[in-house]
Coordinates of all heavy atoms in Angstrom, one line a residue:
M1 N 0.8 -1.2 0.0 CA 0.1 0.0 -0.1 C 0.9 1.2 0.0 O 1.9 1.3 0.8 CB -0.8 0.0 1.3 CG -1.7 1.2 1.4 SD -2.7 1.5 2.8 CE -3.9 0.1 2.6
N2 N 0.6 2.2 -0.8 CA 1.3 3.5 -0.9 C 0.3 4.6 -0.4 O -0.9 4.5 -0.8 CB 1.7 3.7 -2.3 CG 2.8 2.9 -2.7 OD1 3.7 2.4 -2.0 ND2 2.8 2.4 -4.0
L3 N 0.9 5.6 0.4 CA 0.1 6.6 0.8 C 0.6 7.9 0.3 O 1.8 8.1 0.2 CB 0.2 6.7 2.4 CG -0.5 5.5 3.2 CD1 -0.3 5.6 4.6 CD2 -2.0 5.3 2.8
S4 N -0.2 8.9 -0.1 CA 0.1 10.2 -0.5 C -0.3 11.1 0.6 O -1.3 11.1 1.0 CB -0.5 10.5 -1.8 OG -0.1 9.7 -2.8
L5 N 0.7 11.9 1.0 CA 0.5 12.7 2.2 C 0.7 14.2 1.7 O 1.5 14.4 0.6 CB 1.4 12.5 3.3 CG 1.5 11.2 3.9 CD1 2.6 11.0 4.9 CD2 0.2 10.8 4.5
T6 N 0.0 15.1 2.2 CA 0.2 16.6 1.9 C 1.6 16.9 2.4 O 2.1 16.4 3.4 CB -0.7 17.4 2.4 OG1 -0.8 17.3 3.9 CG2 -2.2 17.0 2.0
P7 N 2.2 17.9 1.9 CA 3.6 18.4 2.4 C 3.5 18.8 3.9 O 4.4 18.4 4.6 CB 3.9 19.6 1.5 CG 3.1 19.4 0.2 CD 1.9 18.6 0.7
E8 N 2.4 19.3 4.3 CA 2.3 19.6 5.7 C 2.2 18.4 6.7 O 2.9 18.3 7.6 CB 1.0 20.5 5.8 CG 0.7 20.9 7.3 CD -0.6 21.7 7.4 OE1 -0.8 22.6 6.7 OE2 -1.4 21.4 8.4
I9 N 1.4 17.4 6.2 CA 1.5 16.2 7.0 C 2.7 15.5 6.9 O 3.1 14.9 8.1 CB 0.2 15.3 6.5 CG1 -1.1 15.9 6.9 CG2 0.2 13.8 7.3 CD1 -2.3 15.2 6.4
E10 N 3.3 15.4 5.8 CA 4.7 14.8 5.6 C 5.8 15.4 6.5 O 6.6 14.7 7.2 CB 5.2 14.7 4.3 CG 6.4 13.9 4.0 CD 6.7 13.8 2.6 OE1 5.9 14.2 1.6 OE2 7.7 13.4 2.2
K11 N 5.7 16.7 6.7 CA 6.6 17.5 7.5 C 6.3 17.1 8.9 O 7.3 16.8 9.7 CB 6.5 19.0 7.2 CG 7.4 19.8 8.2 CD 7.1 21.3 8.0 CE 7.9 22.0 9.0 NZ 7.5 23.4 9.0
W12 N 5.1 17.1 9.4 CA 4.7 16.7 10.6 C 5.1 15.4 11.1 O 5.7 15.0 12.2 CB 3.2 16.8 11.0 CG 2.7 16.6 12.2 CD1 2.6 17.5 13.3 CD2 2.3 15.3 12.8 NE1 2.2 16.9 14.4 CE2 1.8 15.6 14.1 CE3 2.1 14.2 12.3 CZ2 1.3 14.5 14.9 CZ3 1.5 13.2 13.0 CH2 1.2 13.4 14.4
V13 N 4.9 14.3 10.2 CA 5.3 13.0 10.4 C 6.9 12.9 10.5 O 7.4 12.3 11.5 CB 4.9 12.1 9.3 CG1 5.5 10.7 9.3 CG2 3.3 11.9 9.3
N14 N 7.6 13.6 9.7 CA 9.1 13.6 9.6 C 9.4 14.2 11.1 O 10.5 13.7 11.6 CB 9.7 14.3 8.6 CG 9.5 13.5 7.2 OD1 9.5 12.2 7.3 ND2 9.4 14.1 6.1
E15 N 9.0 15.2 11.5 CA 9.3 15.8 12.9 C 9.1 14.9 14.0 O 10.0 14.8 14.9 CB 8.4 17.2 13.1 CG 8.9 18.2 12.1 CD 8.0 19.5 12.2 OE1 6.9 19.4 12.9 OE2 8.3 20.4 11.6
R16 N 8.0 14.2 13.9 CA 7.7 13.2 15.0 C 8.8 12.1 15.0 O 9.2 11.6 16.0 CB 6.3 12.7 14.9 CG 5.2 13.6 15.1 CD 5.4 14.4 16.4 NE 4.4 15.4 16.6 CZ 4.5 16.8 16.2 NH1 5.6 17.0 15.4 NH2 3.7 17.7 16.4
V17 N 9.1 11.5 13.8 CA 10.0 10.4 13.6 C 11.4 11.0 14.2 O 12.0 10.2 14.9 CB 10.1 10.0 12.2 CG1 11.3 9.1 12.1 CG2 8.8 9.3 11.8
K18 N 11.9 12.2 13.9 CA 13.1 12.8 14.4 C 13.1 12.9 15.9 O 14.3 12.7 16.5 CB 13.3 14.2 13.8 CG 13.7 14.1 12.4 CD 13.8 15.6 11.9 CE 14.0 15.6 10.4 NZ 14.1 16.9 9.8
T19 N 12.1 12.9 16.6 CA 12.1 12.9 18.1 C 12.6 11.5 18.7 O 13.0 11.5 19.9 CB 10.6 13.3 18.8 OG1 10.0 12.1 18.4 CG2 10.1 14.5 18.2
G20 N 12.5 10.4 17.8 CA 13.0 9.3 18.3 C 11.9 8.3 18.9 O 12.1 7.2 19.3
R21 N 10.7 8.8 19.0 CA 9.6 8.1 19.6 C 9.2 6.9 18.6 O 8.7 5.9 19.0 CB 8.5 9.1 19.9 CG 7.3 8.3 20.5 CD 6.2 9.1 20.9 NE 5.1 8.4 21.3 CZ 3.9 8.9 21.5 NH1 3.6 10.1 21.5 NH2 3.0 8.1 22.1
Y22 N 9.3 7.2 17.3 CA 9.0 6.2 16.2 C 10.2 6.0 15.5 O 11.1 6.7 15.2 CB 7.8 6.9 15.2 CG 6.7 7.3 16.0 CD1 6.4 8.6 16.5 CD2 5.7 6.4 16.4 CE1 5.3 9.1 17.1 CE2 4.6 6.8 17.1 CZ 4.3 8.0 17.4 OH 3.3 8.5 18.1
T23 N 10.3 4.6 15.0 CA 11.5 4.3 14.3 C 11.3 4.7 12.8 O 12.4 4.8 12.1 CB 11.6 2.7 14.3 OG1 10.4 2.2 13.8 CG2 11.8 2.3 15.7
G24 N 10.2 5.0 12.3 CA 10.0 5.5 11.1 C 8.6 5.9 10.7 O 7.6 5.8 11.7
A25 N 8.3 6.5 9.7 CA 7.0 6.8 9.3 C 6.0 5.8 9.3 O 4.8 6.0 9.7 CB 7.0 7.6 7.9
S26 N 6.4 4.6 8.9 CA 5.4 3.4 8.8 C 4.9 3.1 10.3 O 3.7 3.0 10.4 CB 6.1 2.3 8.3 OG 6.4 2.4 6.9
E27 N 5.8 3.3 11.3 CA 5.4 3.0 12.5 C 4.5 4.0 13.1 O 3.5 3.7 13.8 CB 6.6 2.9 13.6 CG 6.2 2.5 14.9 CD 7.4 2.7 16.0 OE1 8.6 2.9 15.5 OE2 7.1 2.3 17.2
L28 N 4.7 5.3 12.8 CA 3.9 6.4 13.2 C 2.4 6.2 12.6 O 1.5 6.3 13.2 CB 4.5 7.7 12.9 CG 3.7 8.9 13.4 CD1 4.6 10.0 13.7 CD2 2.7 9.4 12.2
V29 N 2.4 5.8 11.2 CA 1.1 5.7 10.6 C 0.4 4.5 11.1 O -0.8 4.7 11.3 CB 1.4 5.6 9.1 CG1 0.2 5.3 8.3 CG2 1.8 6.9 8.5
R30 N 1.0 3.5 11.4 CA 0.4 2.3 12.0 C -0.3 2.6 13.4 O -1.4 2.3 13.7 CB 1.3 1.1 12.2 CG 1.6 0.4 10.9 CD 2.4 -0.9 11.2 NE 3.6 -0.8 11.8 CZ 4.8 -0.5 11.2 NH1 4.7 -0.4 9.8 NH2 5.9 -0.4 11.8
E31 N 0.6 3.4 14.2 CA 0.0 3.9 15.5 C -1.1 4.8 15.4 O -2.2 4.6 16.1 CB 1.1 4.6 16.3 CG 0.6 5.2 17.5 CD 0.3 4.1 18.6 OE1 0.7 2.9 18.7 OE2 -0.3 4.6 19.7
A32 N -1.1 5.7 14.4 CA -2.2 6.6 14.2 C -3.4 5.9 13.7 O -4.6 6.1 14.2 CB -1.8 7.6 13.0
I33 N -3.3 4.9 12.8 CA -4.4 4.1 12.3 C -4.9 3.3 13.5 O -6.3 3.1 13.7 CB -4.1 3.2 11.1 CG1 -3.7 4.1 9.9 CG2 -5.1 2.2 11.0 CD1 -3.1 3.4 8.8
R34 N -4.2 2.7 14.5 CA -4.8 2.0 15.5 C -5.6 2.8 16.5 O -6.6 2.5 16.9 CB -3.6 1.3 16.3 CG -3.1 0.1 15.7 CD -2.2 -0.7 16.8 NE -0.9 0.1 17.0 CZ 0.2 -0.1 16.2 NH1 0.2 -0.9 15.1 NH2 1.3 0.6 16.4
R35 N -5.0 4.0 16.7 CA -5.7 5.1 17.6 C -7.1 5.4 16.9 O -8.2 5.6 17.5 CB -4.9 6.2 17.9 CG -3.7 5.9 18.7 CD -2.9 7.1 19.0 NE -1.8 6.8 19.9 CZ -1.6 7.5 21.1 NH1 -2.3 8.5 21.5 NH2 -0.5 7.1 21.9
L36 N -7.1 5.6 15.6 CA -8.3 5.9 14.8 C -9.3 4.8 15.0 O -10.5 5.0 15.2 CB -8.0 6.3 13.3 CG -9.2 6.6 12.6 CD1 -10.0 7.9 13.0 CD2 -8.7 6.8 11.2
M37 N -8.8 3.5 14.8 CA -9.8 2.4 15.0 C -10.3 2.5 16.4 O -11.5 2.2 16.6 CB -9.0 1.1 14.7 CG -8.6 1.0 13.3 SD -7.3 -0.3 12.9 CE -8.4 -1.8 13.4
D38 N -9.5 2.6 17.4 CA -10.1 2.7 18.8 C -11.0 3.7 19.0 O -12.1 3.6 19.6 CB -8.9 2.9 19.9 CG -8.0 1.8 20.0 OD1 -8.5 0.5 19.4 OD2 -6.9 1.9 20.5
Y39 N -10.8 5.0 18.4 CA -11.7 6.1 18.5 C -13.0 5.8 17.9 O -14.0 6.0 18.5 CB -11.0 7.3 17.8 CG -11.9 8.6 17.7 CD1 -12.2 9.2 18.8 CD2 -12.6 8.7 16.4 CE1 -13.0 10.4 18.7 CE2 -13.3 9.8 16.3 CZ -13.6 10.7 17.5 OH -14.5 11.8 17.4
E40 N -12.9 5.3 16.7 CA -14.1 4.8 16.0 C -15.0 3.8 16.8 O -16.2 3.8 16.8 CB -13.9 4.4 14.6 CG -13.4 5.5 13.6 CD -13.3 5.1 12.3 OE1 -13.2 3.9 11.8 OE2 -13.1 5.8 11.3
L41 N -14.4 2.8 17.4 CA -15.1 1.9 18.2 C -15.8 2.5 19.3 O -17.0 2.3 19.8 CB -14.1 0.7 18.8 CG -13.6 -0.2 17.8 CD1 -12.5 -1.2 18.4 CD2 -14.7 -1.1 17.3
V42 N -15.1 3.5 20.1 CA -15.6 4.2 21.2 C -16.9 5.1 20.6 O -18.0 5.1 21.2 CB -14.7 5.1 21.7 CG1 -15.3 6.1 22.8 CG2 -13.6 4.3 22.6
Q43 N -16.7 5.7 19.4 CA -17.8 6.4 19.0 C -19.0 5.6 18.5 O -20.2 6.0 18.8 CB -17.3 7.2 17.5 CG -16.3 8.3 18.0 CD -16.8 9.5 18.9 OE1 -17.8 9.9 18.7 NE2 -16.1 9.6 19.9
E44 N -18.7 4.4 18.0 CA -19.9 3.5 17.6 C -20.6 3.1 18.8 O -21.9 3.0 18.9 CB -19.2 2.3 16.9 CG -19.6 2.1 15.5 CD -19.0 0.9 14.9 OE1 -19.3 -0.2 15.3 OE2 -18.1 1.1 14.1
A45 N -19.8 2.8 19.9 CA -20.4 2.3 21.2 C -21.3 3.4 21.8 O -22.5 3.3 22.2 CB -19.4 1.9 22.2
A46 N -20.8 4.7 21.8 CA -21.5 5.9 22.3 C -22.7 6.1 21.4 O -23.9 6.2 22.0 CB -20.6 7.1 22.2
R47 N -22.6 6.0 20.1 CA -23.7 6.1 19.2 C -24.9 5.1 19.5 O -26.1 5.4 19.6 CB -23.4 6.1 17.8 CG -24.5 6.5 16.7 CD -23.9 6.6 15.4 NE -22.7 7.3 15.1 CZ -21.3 6.7 14.9 NH1 -21.3 5.4 14.7 NH2 -20.4 7.4 14.7
G48 N -24.5 3.9 19.8 CA -25.5 2.8 20.1 C -26.1 3.0 21.5 O -27.3 3.0 21.5
K49 N -25.4 3.6 22.3 CA -26.0 3.9 23.6 C -27.1 5.0 23.4 O -28.2 5.0 24.1 CB -25.0 4.4 24.7 CG -24.2 3.2 25.3 CD -23.2 3.6 26.2 CE -22.3 2.5 26.7 NZ -21.4 3.0 27.8
I50 N -26.7 6.0 22.7 CA -27.6 7.2 22.5 C -28.8 6.8 21.7 O -30.0 7.1 22.0 CB -26.9 8.4 21.6 CG1 -25.8 8.9 22.6 CG2 -27.9 9.3 21.1 CD1 -24.9 10.0 21.8
E51 N -28.7 5.9 20.7 CA -29.8 5.4 19.9 C -30.7 4.5 20.8 O -32.0 4.7 20.7 CB -29.3 4.6 18.8 CG -28.8 5.5 17.6 CD -28.0 4.7 16.5 OE1 -28.0 3.4 16.6 OE2 -27.6 5.4 15.6
A52 N -30.1 3.7 21.7 CA -30.9 2.9 22.6 C -31.8 3.9 23.6 O -33.0 3.6 23.9 CB -30.0 1.9 23.4
A53 N -31.1 4.9 24.0 CA -31.8 5.9 24.9 C -32.9 6.6 24.3 O -34.0 6.8 24.8 CB -30.8 6.8 25.6
I54 N -32.8 7.0 23.0 CA -33.8 7.6 22.3 C -35.0 6.5 22.0 O -36.1 6.9 22.2 CB -33.2 8.1 20.9 CG1 -32.3 9.3 21.1 CG2 -34.3 8.4 20.0 CD1 -31.5 9.6 19.9
D55 N -34.5 5.3 21.7 CA -35.6 4.3 21.5 C -36.4 4.0 22.7 O -37.7 4.1 22.6 CB -35.0 2.9 21.0 CG -34.5 3.1 19.5 OD1 -34.9 4.0 18.8 OD2 -33.6 2.1 19.1
E56 N -35.7 4.1 23.9 CA -36.5 3.9 25.1 C -37.3 5.1 25.5 O -38.5 5.0 25.9 CB -35.4 3.7 26.3 CG -36.0 3.4 27.7 CD -37.2 2.5 27.7 OE1 -37.1 1.5 27.1 OE2 -38.1 2.8 28.4
A57 N -36.9 6.3 25.2 CA -37.6 7.4 25.4 C -38.9 7.4 24.6 O -40.0 7.8 25.1 CB -36.8 8.6 25.2
H58 N -38.7 7.1 23.4 CA -39.8 7.0 22.4 C -40.9 6.0 22.8 O -42.1 6.3 22.8 CB -39.3 6.6 21.0 CG -40.4 6.7 19.9 ND1 -41.2 5.6 19.6 CD2 -41.1 7.8 19.4 CE1 -42.0 5.9 18.6 NE2 -42.1 7.3 18.4
A59 N -40.4 4.7 23.3 CA -41.3 3.8 23.7 C -42.0 4.3 25.0 O -43.2 4.0 25.2 CB -40.5 2.4 24.1
S60 N -41.4 4.9 26.0 CA -42.0 5.4 27.1 C -43.1 6.5 26.8 O -44.2 6.5 27.5 CB -41.0 6.0 28.1 OG -40.7 7.3 27.9
I61 N -42.8 7.3 25.8 CA -43.9 8.2 25.4 C -45.0 7.6 24.8 O -46.2 7.8 25.0 CB -43.2 9.2 24.3 CG1 -42.2 10.2 25.0 CG2 -44.3 10.1 23.7 CD1 -41.5 11.0 24.1
Q62 N -44.8 6.5 24.0 CA -45.8 5.7 23.4 C -46.7 4.9 24.4 O -47.8 4.8 24.2 CB -45.2 4.6 22.4 CG -44.5 5.1 21.3 CD -45.5 5.9 20.3 OE1 -45.4 7.2 20.5 NE2 -46.3 5.3 19.6
R63 N -46.1 4.8 25.6 CA -46.9 4.0 26.8 C -47.5 5.1 27.6 O -48.0 4.8 28.6 CB -45.9 3.2 27.6 CG -45.2 2.0 26.9 CD -44.3 1.2 27.9 NE -43.4 1.8 28.6 CZ -42.1 1.9 28.3 NH1 -41.8 1.2 27.1 NH2 -41.1 2.6 28.9
G64 N -47.4 6.4 27.2 CA -48.0 7.5 27.9 C -47.1 7.9 29.1 O -47.8 8.4 30.1
E65 N -46.0 7.6 29.3 CA -45.1 7.8 30.5 C -44.3 9.1 30.2 O -43.5 9.5 31.0 CB -44.2 6.6 30.6 CG -44.9 5.4 31.0 CD -43.9 4.2 31.0 OE1 -42.6 4.4 30.7 OE2 -44.4 3.1 31.3
G66 N -44.5 9.9 29.2 CA -43.8 11.1 28.8 C -44.1 12.2 29.7 O -45.2 12.2 30.6
L67 N -43.3 13.2 29.8 CA -43.5 14.4 30.6 C -44.4 15.4 29.9 O -44.2 15.6 28.7 CB -42.2 15.1 31.1 CG -41.3 14.1 31.9 CD1 -40.0 15.0 32.2 CD2 -41.9 13.8 33.2
T68 N -45.2 16.1 30.6 CA -45.9 17.2 29.8 C -44.8 18.4 29.7 O -43.8 18.4 30.5 CB -47.0 17.7 30.9 OG1 -46.4 18.3 32.1 CG2 -48.1 16.7 31.1
P69 N -45.0 19.2 28.8 CA -44.2 20.4 28.7 C -43.9 21.2 30.1 O -42.7 21.6 30.5 CB -44.7 21.3 27.7 CG -45.6 20.4 26.9 CD -46.0 19.4 27.7
E70 N -45.0 21.2 30.8 CA -44.9 22.1 32.2 C -44.1 21.2 33.1 O -43.3 21.9 33.9 CB -46.2 22.2 32.8 CG -47.2 23.1 31.9 CD -47.7 22.5 30.6 OE1 -47.8 21.3 30.6 OE2 -48.2 23.1 29.7
E71 N -44.1 19.9 33.1 CA -43.3 19.1 34.2 C -42.0 19.1 33.7 O -41.1 19.1 34.5 CB -43.9 17.7 34.2 CG -43.2 16.7 35.0 CD -43.1 17.1 36.5 OE1 -44.0 18.0 37.0 OE2 -42.3 16.5 37.2
F72 N -41.7 19.0 32.4 CA -40.3 19.1 31.9 C -39.6 20.4 32.3 O -38.5 20.3 32.8 CB -40.3 18.9 30.4 CG -38.9 19.1 29.9 CD1 -38.0 18.0 29.7 CD2 -38.4 20.3 29.4 CE1 -36.8 18.2 29.3 CE2 -37.1 20.5 28.9 CZ -36.3 19.4 28.8
E73 N -40.4 21.5 32.1 CA -39.8 22.7 32.5 C -39.5 23.0 34.0 O -38.6 23.4 34.5 CB -40.7 23.9 32.1 CG -40.3 25.4 32.4 CD -39.0 25.6 31.7 OE1 -38.7 25.1 30.6 OE2 -38.3 26.5 32.1
R74 N -40.4 22.4 34.8 CA -40.3 22.3 36.4 C -39.1 21.7 36.6 O -38.2 22.1 37.4 CB -41.6 21.8 37.0 CG -41.5 21.9 38.5 CD -42.6 21.1 39.2 NE -42.4 19.7 39.0 CZ -41.5 18.9 39.7 NH1 -40.7 19.6 40.5 NH2 -41.4 17.6 39.5
R75 N -38.9 20.5 36.1 CA -37.7 19.7 36.4 C -36.5 20.4 36.0 O -35.4 20.4 36.6 CB -37.8 18.3 35.8 CG -38.8 17.3 36.5 CD -38.8 15.9 35.9 NE -39.9 15.2 36.5 CZ -39.9 13.9 36.3 NH1 -39.0 13.2 35.4 NH2 -41.0 13.2 36.7
H76 N -36.5 20.9 34.8 CA -35.3 21.7 34.3 C -35.0 22.8 35.2 O -33.8 23.0 35.5 CB -35.7 22.1 32.8 CG -34.7 23.1 32.4 ND1 -33.4 22.6 31.9 CD2 -34.8 24.5 32.0 CE1 -32.6 23.6 31.5 NE2 -33.3 24.8 31.5
Q77 N -35.9 23.7 35.7 CA -35.6 24.7 36.5 C -35.1 24.3 37.9 O -34.1 24.8 38.5 CB -36.9 25.6 36.8 CG -37.4 26.3 35.5 CD -36.3 27.2 34.9 OE1 -35.5 27.8 35.6 NE2 -36.2 27.4 33.6
Q78 N -35.7 23.1 38.3 CA -35.1 22.5 39.5 C -33.6 22.1 39.5 O -32.8 22.4 40.3 CB -36.0 21.2 40.0 CG -35.6 20.7 41.3 CD -36.4 19.5 41.7 OE1 -37.3 19.0 40.9 NE2 -36.3 18.9 42.8
R79 N -33.3 21.4 38.4 CA -31.9 21.0 38.1 C -30.9 22.2 38.0 O -29.9 22.1 38.5 CB -31.8 20.0 36.9 CG -32.4 18.7 37.1 CD -32.1 17.8 35.9 NE -32.9 16.5 36.1 CZ -33.6 16.1 35.2 NH1 -33.9 16.8 34.1 NH2 -34.4 15.0 35.5
K80 N -31.5 23.1 37.2 CA -30.7 24.4 37.0 C -30.5 25.0 38.4 O -29.3 25.4 38.7 CB -31.5 25.4 36.1 CG -30.8 26.6 35.7 CD -31.6 27.3 34.7 CE -31.1 28.7 34.5 NZ -32.1 29.5 33.6
A81 N -31.4 25.1 39.3 CA -31.3 25.8 40.6 C -30.1 24.9 41.4 O -29.4 25.4 42.0 CB -32.5 25.8 41.4
E82 N -30.3 23.6 41.4 CA -29.4 22.7 42.1 C -28.0 22.8 41.6 O -27.0 23.0 42.3 CB -29.9 21.3 42.0 CG -31.1 21.0 42.7 CD -31.7 19.6 42.4 OE1 -31.1 18.9 41.7 OE2 -32.8 19.3 43.0
H83 N -27.8 23.0 40.3 CA -26.5 23.2 39.7 C -25.9 24.5 40.1 O -24.6 24.6 40.4 CB -26.6 23.1 38.3 CG -25.3 23.4 37.5 ND1 -24.3 22.5 37.4 CD2 -24.9 24.5 36.8 CE1 -23.2 23.1 36.9 NE2 -23.7 24.3 36.4
L84 N -26.7 25.5 40.2 CA -26.3 27.0 40.6 C -25.7 26.8 42.0 O -24.8 27.5 42.4 CB -27.2 28.0 40.3 CG -27.4 28.2 38.7 CD1 -28.7 29.3 38.6 CD2 -26.2 28.7 38.2
K85 N -26.5 26.1 42.9 CA -26.1 26.0 44.3 C -24.7 25.5 44.5 O -24.0 25.8 45.5 CB -27.2 25.2 45.1 CG -28.5 25.9 45.3 CD -29.4 25.0 46.1 CE -30.8 25.5 46.2 NZ -31.6 24.6 46.8
K86 N -24.4 24.4 43.6 CA -23.2 23.7 43.7 C -22.0 24.4 43.2 O -20.9 24.2 43.5 CB -23.3 22.4 43.0 CG -24.2 21.4 43.5 CD -24.1 20.2 42.7 CE -25.3 19.2 43.1 NZ -25.3 18.0 42.2
K87 N -22.3 25.5 42.3 CA -21.1 26.3 41.8 C -20.4 27.1 42.9 O -21.1 27.7 43.7 CB -21.7 27.4 40.7 CG -21.7 26.7 39.4 CD -21.9 27.9 38.4 CE -21.6 27.5 37.0 NZ -21.9 28.6 36.0
P88 N -19.1 27.1 42.9 CA -18.5 28.0 44.0 C -18.6 29.5 43.7 O -18.7 29.8 42.5 CB -16.9 27.7 43.9 CG -16.9 26.9 42.5 CD -18.2 26.4 42.1
A89 N -18.7 30.2 44.7 CA -19.0 31.7 44.5 C -17.7 32.4 43.8 O -16.7 31.9 44.4 CB -19.4 32.4 45.8
K90 N -17.8 33.3 43.1 CA -16.7 34.0 42.6 C -16.1 34.9 43.5 O -16.8 35.6 44.3 CB -17.0 34.8 41.3 CG -17.3 33.9 40.2 CD -17.5 34.6 38.9 CE -17.8 33.8 37.6 NZ -18.0 34.5 36.5
A91 N -14.7 35.0 43.6 CA -14.0 35.9 44.6 C -14.2 37.4 44.1 O -14.1 37.6 42.9 CB -12.7 35.5 44.7
A92 N -14.5 38.2 45.0 CA -14.7 39.6 44.6 C -13.4 40.4 44.4 O -12.3 40.1 45.0 CB -15.5 40.4 45.7

C-alpha cells in the first residue's frame, strides 16, 4: 500500500520521527491508524447507547409515560437551581 501525504502532514510525520519516539513513518502511521480504529469503536459504542436511549424514550412516550411540557420545565428549573447552588462563589 502506498500513501500520499500533503507536504504539511509529511513534515509533521518527519518531525515526530526525528524525536526518536517512532522508528519510522510506517510505525507512526500504524500507531495513528490503531488510535483511529479505537476512536471509531468508542464512537460507535456511544452512538449505540444514544440510539438505545432515544428508542427507550420514544417507547415510554408511546406508553404514555412522557412528561408534559410543564413538568419538563419544572424539572429543568429545579436541576438548574441545584446546579447553581453547587457552583463555587466567585471571589470579589
Side-chain angles (χ1 to χ4, degrees):
M1 173 185 292
N2 291 318
L3 299 173
S4 296
L5 304 175
T6 64
E8 180 181 311
I9 293 174
E10 188 173 350
K11 179 182 175 198
W12 183 86
V13 167
N14 289 330
E15 287 171 356
R16 296 305 173 276
V17 171
K18 285 179 187 175
T19 67
R21 181 172 177 193
Y22 304 96
T23 59
S26 292
E27 182 184 3
L28 185 146
V29 170
R30 283 190 299 273
E31 175 70 15
I33 290 170
R34 279 191 291 272
R35 288 177 181 235
L36 177 60
M37 290 168 68
D38 289 345
Y39 173 80
E40 287 185 350
L41 285 173
V42 169
Q43 293 301 306
E44 246 179 70
R47 192 175 307 110
K49 287 180 182 179
I50 291 169
E51 288 172 357
I54 290 170
D55 290 344
E56 175 52 36
H58 185 261
S60 82
I61 290 169
Q62 295 300 101
R63 293 189 302 265
E65 299 169 356
L67 300 176
T68 65
E70 296 78 16
E71 178 63 14
F72 176 85
E73 182 62 25
R74 186 190 70 72
R75 289 185 186 188
H76 172 69
Q77 293 302 326
Q78 182 180 6
R79 286 187 189 123
K80 187 175 165 183
E82 290 169 3
H83 176 72
L84 290 174
K85 284 180 191 176
K86 292 178 184 177
K87 271 189 159 181
K90 291 186 178 182

